[in-house]
Amino acid sequence: MNFLLIFTFFIISGAVRCIDVIGYSGGSVFVDSQKLWCKDCFKYMTQLNPHKNIISYNKNKRWINKGRFTLFCDKKGYLIILIRDVNTQDSGSYRIEFDDKWSIDMNLNVKEDSCCGASQTVMVNTGQTANFTCQYSQDDKTHDKIFLKKGNEMIETVFSTTNIKKKKERLNIHDDAQNNLFSVRMTDVRSEDAGVYLCGVQIYRDSYSYSILTAVHLHIMIPPVFGDEGKSAQIICPYDPIYTSTSKYLLKTSTADENTLMKTVRDQNEMEMNRLSLNDDTTASVFSVNITGLTAEDSGKYCCAVTLETDVIYLYTHLIIIIKQELLLNKSEGDNMSMECKHHAEYQKVFCKAHEVSMCVNDGVSSQSVRDDGFSLSDETSTGVFTVNISHLREEHSGIYWCGSNMITKVHLNVSRVSDSSVIKMMIIIVCVCVILLLIGGITLIIVYKFRHNKTQDPRSLPTIPSSDDVLYAAVSFHKHEDSVSDASVAFSKDVIYSSVSQNTRLE
């Protein structure tokens, strides 16, 4: 469990106020003394029973931290006492002294109680709504509700039913007394909203008050950062001004572990390490990290971390590397095509059509995909790629596409339209080719026919009789043999294709 008890005391200077405090195992005890912090005094904190020195002879002007025990001065100049992660062994009496000026005696009784739930961790994207609930005891239904934000040197009141003016915009509180909890709804979440919040009930006594609170860690996902391979990228991390004096880190996360890349220290706003440089602008409440010479290994998930005692406040982002080599594809309408995109199993696939890659990735984990019946994706996890298939390309498919995950490739697709003149030319060519093929086929058939006809003809057959038109004239002279005893005559006609010979025999 993680609860926080706030105690308010009205202490007369020089007097000792002895109070009884109840804490819950796993939570925290928070004491607001409403007594001015003494900058030049020595501070002490001692456990009386059993006797144990916790903070001794410390003259720090604003901050004293010793393990789970902290004394610090809030923005109003009052002493704040914080004991984190209390347990049953912490039960006992304590004394906090400022030299001989004044002191507080506190009896702490730590109990085991599951009524109020454990601490929560909520993760949302910028612009979205964060929802969390704060449980309280059955006995505390009628007490005021309070919602705070925790800093290193202050506790900022965000909402209190005793002071409705403290309610901030974008914040809605609903008390469900029947179920002993109230809910907090924060709309339009911003980067500076990240932090540790405390919510619960505030209980008043005669001379002091305390609150039993549940801790809520609000982590926020900020928009992704894009960088070209071989060039540089800058990760910008806004934070709440209450964390100005805290240490800042840049972490690169993975499924296995988290590695600290950069860290600032107090009173040192700039730091460089290898290809990274970090600058903390405390005036603007922004720290930034510049990474040069980007490689594929630099891509991935990063955390902007702010240290808050033992708590760490995270802003999450993705660094996406745009591959140096672009892909140019020239196609015609009606064609089919495929493109391969690099893919890492830890990151969501990105494939979209847009002029800028930032238009494709909204929050680092979601993407806008091309919605078209002709598009299909096939995942090949073992090869580290996924394939985009596009069928029956149209001219409107032309444009710039982005595909990948932590590494993204820029693709230029140009789909050319087939013109009417090109279609006519193509049809003419097709017709000409068909005619030529028909002619070649006809000639081939004639040659084959003649060859076969000549081969089968009888060589002993007589030549054919030419037509009468081909015969001109023929003259034949006959002479009667002197020994002949008969007369003979021969007659020819142009209109006949034959001749006749008649013979008259005269007997003497």
Side-chain angles (χ1 to χ4, degrees):
M1 289 181 237
N2 197 347
F3 313 103
L4 194 67
L5 306 181
I6 299 181
F7 308 89
T8 305
F9 308 94
F10 301 94
I11 302 172
I12 301 173
S13 179
V16 176
R17 174 73 64 177
C18 184
I19 61 170
D20 293 324
V21 175
I22 295 176
Y24 293 93
S25 181
S28 299
V29 175
F30 177 80
V31 179
D32 182 356
S33 70
Q34 291 195 355
K35 188 71 176 179
L36 289 174
W37 178 277
C38 180
K39 295 182 180 179
D40 298 323
C41 297
F42 286 97
K43 289 84 177 175
Y44 309 88
M45 186 172 184
T46 305
Q47 186 173 5
L48 302 177
N49 185 22
H51 186 272
K52 180 181 179 182
N53 290 327
I54 298 172
I55 297 174
S56 300
Y57 305 104
N58 198 306
K59 203 175 181 179
N60 191 291
K61 293 185 177 181
R62 289 194 59 85
W63 185 271
I64 304 170
N65 187 51
K66 189 72 174 180
R68 297 182 294 111
F69 298 84
T70 302
L71 303 179
F72 62 89
C73 179
D74 71 0
K75 62 181 179 180
K76 295 180 181 179
Y78 294 146
L79 167 67
I80 300 296
I81 305 166
L82 177 64
I83 307 175
R84 299 182 300 273
D85 301 324
V86 297
N87 53 61
T88 54
Q89 286 74 31
D90 293 327
S91 295
S93 299
Y94 294 83
R95 175 167 292 176
I96 298 93
E97 298 181 78
F98 273 45
D99 284 343
D100 296 327
K101 296 184 181 297
W102 59 269
S103 64
I104 299 172
D105 283 354
M106 178 177 68
N107 294 320
L108 176 62
N109 182 16
V110 180
K111 297 181 177 181
E112 297 282 353
D113 196 328
S114 59
C115 70
C116 301
S119 62
Q120 305 173 44
T121 299
V122 178
M123 168 75 79
V124 294
N125 300 315
T126 52
Q128 294 184 347
T129 298
N131 294 285
F132 37 88
T133 58
C134 305
Q135 194 171 0
Y136 51 83
S137 172
Q138 174 75 17
D139 299 330
D140 298 329
K141 287 186 175 184
T142 59
H143 294 300
D144 294 331
K145 309 304 182 293
I146 191 169
F147 184 65
L148 311 171
K149 188 172 185 180
K150 180 183 176 185
N152 260 356
E153 298 184 6
M154 68 182 70
I155 297 291
E156 182 182 77
T157 302
V158 180
F159 173 85
S160 174
T161 54
T162 59
N163 188 356
I164 198 68
K165 293 182 179 179
K166 287 289 185 180
K167 182 178 179 181
K168 288 192 173 182
E169 295 180 358
R170 304 182 292 112
L171 199 69
N172 296 301
I173 306 292
H174 175 69
D175 187 12
D176 183 1
Q178 184 175 356
N179 295 308
N180 302 331
L181 58 86
F182 73 92
S183 59
V184 179
R185 184 172 182 264
M186 185 183 296
T187 61
D188 188 23
V189 170
R190 303 165 187 174
S191 302
E192 56 268 25
D193 292 329
V196 178
Y197 292 84
L198 307 165
C199 59
V201 294
Q202 188 172 16
I203 304 169
Y204 295 91
R205 294 291 181 253
D206 292 339
S207 59
Y208 65 93
S209 68
Y210 66 92
S211 298
I212 303 174
L213 304 170
T214 299
V216 178
H217 299 258
L218 180 58
H219 297 166
I220 297 175
M221 175 68 75
I222 60 178
V225 177
F226 300 93
D228 294 318
E229 186 178 11
K231 297 183 179 180
S232 62
Q234 187 177 58
I235 299 176
I236 299 177
C237 309
Y239 56 84
D240 193 308
I242 65 175
Y243 305 127
T244 297
S245 62
T246 61
S247 298
K248 315 299 188 307
Y249 302 80
L250 180 68
L251 308 174
K252 184 176 183 183
T253 67
S254 66
T255 55
D257 58 8
E258 295 183 354
N259 299 314
T260 302
L261 298 181
M262 292 294 297
K263 174 182 177 180
T264 59
V265 295
R266 291 188 180 92
D267 303 323
Q268 182 178 341
N269 291 337
E270 292 190 11
M271 186 176 182
E272 293 186 3
M273 183 180 70
N274 298 327
R275 297 181 295 113
L276 292 85
S277 61
L278 186 149
N279 177 67
D280 186 10
D281 186 349
T282 56
T283 303
S285 299
V286 172
F287 77 91
S288 58
V289 179
N290 192 64
I291 308 175
T292 61
L294 292 172
T295 65
E297 289 74 21
D298 293 325
S299 64
K301 188 176 183 180
Y302 287 79
C303 296
C304 302
V306 178
T307 304
L308 185 61
E309 295 109 23
T310 57
D311 299 319
V312 180
I313 301 161
Y314 287 140
L315 289 178
Y316 288 91
T317 188
H318 284 86
L319 176 58
I320 299 175
I321 306 298
I322 301 173
I323 298 175
K324 192 173 185 179
Q325 186 175 0
E326 299 179 358
L327 186 61
L328 178 61
L329 300 174
N330 293 313
K331 297 292 181 179
S332 298
E333 282 190 327
D335 289 347
N336 300 329
M337 63 160 291
S338 297
M339 64 178 77
E340 290 187 347
C341 308
K342 292 184 179 295
H343 177 226
H344 195 286
E346 295 181 18
Y347 305 99
Q348 186 172 358
K349 304 181 195 68
V350 175
F351 176 72
C352 81
K353 181 182 180 182
H355 183 67
E356 297 291 340
V357 65
S358 58
M359 300 172 64
C360 296
V361 184
N362 296 323
D363 50 31
V365 294
S366 65
S367 63
Q368 298 175 346
S369 299
V370 176
R371 300 185 181 277
D372 193 295
D373 293 338
F375 288 72
S376 63
L377 274 68
S378 58
D379 195 358
E380 301 174 16
T381 306
S382 60
T383 61
V385 299
F386 67 93
T387 303
V388 180
N389 303 299
I390 312 176
S391 59
H392 306 296
L393 287 169
R394 302 187 300 272
E395 187 179 18
E396 54 266 30
H397 287 149
S398 297
I400 297 175
Y401 292 81
W402 307 88
C403 67
S405 55
N406 60 319
M407 297 285 292
I408 291 185
T409 302
K410 185 177 182 180
V411 181
H412 299 266
L413 176 60
N414 181 30
V415 180
S416 58
R417 182 180 180 182
V418 180
S419 63
D420 293 339
S421 59
S422 298
V423 173
I424 294 173
K425 291 180 181 178
M426 186 175 296
M427 292 179 64
I428 293 174
I429 292 173
I430 293 173
V431 171
C432 292
V433 170
C434 291
V435 171
I436 292 172
L437 292 175
L438 288 173
L439 290 174
I440 293 174
I443 294 172
T444 303
L445 289 174
I446 292 172
I447 293 173
V448 171
Y449 174 78
K450 287 188 175 183
F451 175 77
R452 289 184 176 179
H453 180 73
N454 293 334
K455 186 175 181 181
T456 57
Q457 187 176 11
D458 187 358
R460 294 173 297 174
S461 61
L462 295 173
T464 58
I465 301 173
S467 64
S468 59
D469 293 336
D470 295 333
V471 180
L472 297 178
Y473 294 97
V476 182
S477 299
F478 292 90
H479 300 278
K480 183 178 179 180
H481 196 275
E482 57 182 1
D483 295 330
S484 177
V485 293
S486 63
D487 294 329
S489 63
V490 179
F492 293 96
S493 173
K494 179 181 177 182
D495 297 329
V496 295
I497 59 173
Y498 60 88
S499 62
S500 62
V501 178
S502 60
Q503 181 177 356
N504 297 322
T505 304
R506 187 174 58 186
L507 296 178
E508 297 181 352

